[in-house]
Amino acid sequence: MAVTQQLARVSAEYLAACRTRAEESFDGDHQWDPPTADCLDLDWVPAMLDRACEIAGVGELHLAALRQATDGGLAMDVGFLNAHPHAIGPFGPAPAALEPLAVRQVSGLLGEIDLQAVLAVVPLDIREAGALIGHGAEGLIDGPRTYLMDHFDALREFYAGASKRGLAVVSWWD
């Protein structure tokens, strides 16, 4: 099984309920199970997208927002999601979360990134693209440009939906 970047849109109330269940359970079971419609599997795109944006000259503010969008933040304590034997991300860094205000800010900044300008720096030749952005890009079936575009569009839509609904976003690798 491959380890991939996962995101979930959840309410503060849902996180509080999971925390309470973890605290009250003899084995720390938080019963984390967000709706499938509010989950996003980003595969391995975060590092490739970050690298492509760096090469394209995306500004630091927007790069920071992209990194927050995939890595989460430190403002919300979701450590209870990382407790054995019910850890949701046992193969990567501890789960992290962005609170609704940060989600709204990140969503706005993601919306300002010119993806076409980013894709313009990615060579059409798969081997050249792989050499430039790394992280296994040369092995992508539809090529790095399509992969980056599809995943970035999904990320941007995911955050726009979370922002509109006032939800937090939890990230983990699984």
Side-chain angles (χ1 to χ4, degrees), residues 49-72:
L49 190 54
D50 185 81
R51 180 71 180 128
C53 285
E54 283 179 348
I55 294 165
V58 170
E60 285 302 316
L61 182 65
H62 293 89
L63 273 174
L66 175 63
R67 291 172 183 148
Q68 273 193 304
T70 57
D71 296 340

Side-chain angles (χ1 to χ4, degrees), residues 1 28 37 39 47 50 52 66 69 100 110 113 122 126 130-131 140 158-159:
M1 175 195 336
C39 294
D50 185 81
L66 175 63
L110 289 176
I113 294 174
V122 178
I126 292 175
L140 297 170
F158 186 83
Y159 266 86

Side-chain angles (χ1 to χ4, degrees), residues 4-10 15 32 34 38-42 46 66-74 76 78-79 81-82 87-90 92-99 103 155 158-159 168-174:
T4 60
Q5 177 76 61
Q6 306 292 312
L7 300 176
R9 300 181 285 216
V10 296
L15 280 174
W32 174 259
D38 284 319
C39 294
L40 178 63
D41 183 342
L42 284 177
L66 175 63
R67 291 172 183 148
Q68 273 193 304
T70 57
D71 296 340
L74 302 174
M76 293 187 77
V78 292
L81 294 172
N82 199 36
I88 66 168
L98 290 177
E99 62 190 5
V103 167
L155 178 66
F158 186 83
Y159 266 86
V169 173
V170 177
S171 64
W172 71 98
W173 285 86
D174 191 18

